Amino acid sequence: MKLKTYLKRNEIRVVRFAERLGVTKQAVYKWLELSAFPRHHVLGKILKATNGDVTPVDFMRVEYEQDVRSTEELRP
């Protein structure tokens, strides 16, 4: 599940989630906007804080889908 979906479904504010992880709210907003990827040690905290609902793969899937679209654009 994407982090944005998790936060919305559970009615968790970005500021509260950031505090729980020990990161800035700006970092969380960047993850939500997909302009940054959580650091390795933070991915484990996200997994634990979301009881496994948000995994590292959930962040990677978006990048993979974008890469696939880019590759398809190169096809003749």
Side-chain angles (χ1 to χ4, degrees), residues 15 17-25 27-28 31 41-42 45:
V15 173
F17 191 71
E19 289 171 352
R20 187 172 183 187
L21 297 178
V23 300
T24 64
K25 66 180 178 183
V28 177
W31 305 336
H41 71 280
V42 177
K45 291 180 179 183

Side-chain angles (χ1 to χ4, degrees), residues 11-51:
E11 299 178 354
I12 300 171
R13 293 179 42 218
V14 169
V15 173
R16 183 171 169 226
F17 191 71
E19 289 171 352
R20 187 172 183 187
L21 297 178
V23 300
T24 64
K25 66 180 178 183
Q26 290 84 355
V28 177
Y29 280 118
K30 286 180 182 180
W31 305 336
L32 296 173
E33 295 169 1
L34 307 175
S35 63
F37 188 82
R39 294 182 181 202
H40 184 269
H41 71 280
V42 177
L43 286 170
K45 291 180 179 183
I46 293 170
L47 185 65
K48 186 176 181 180
T50 63
N51 295 316

Side-chain angles (χ1 to χ4, degrees), residues 1-12 17 20 43-61:
M1 168 185 311
K2 295 187 185 213
L3 180 58
K4 188 174 192 174
T5 303
Y6 176 84
L7 295 177
K8 187 172 184 175
R9 281 188 186 170
N10 293 285
E11 299 178 354
I12 300 171
F17 191 71
R20 187 172 183 187
L43 286 170
K45 291 180 179 183
I46 293 170
L47 185 65
K48 186 176 181 180
T50 63
N51 295 316
D53 287 339
V54 180
T55 69
V57 174
D58 295 316
F59 290 97
M60 297 172 78
R61 185 178 311 136

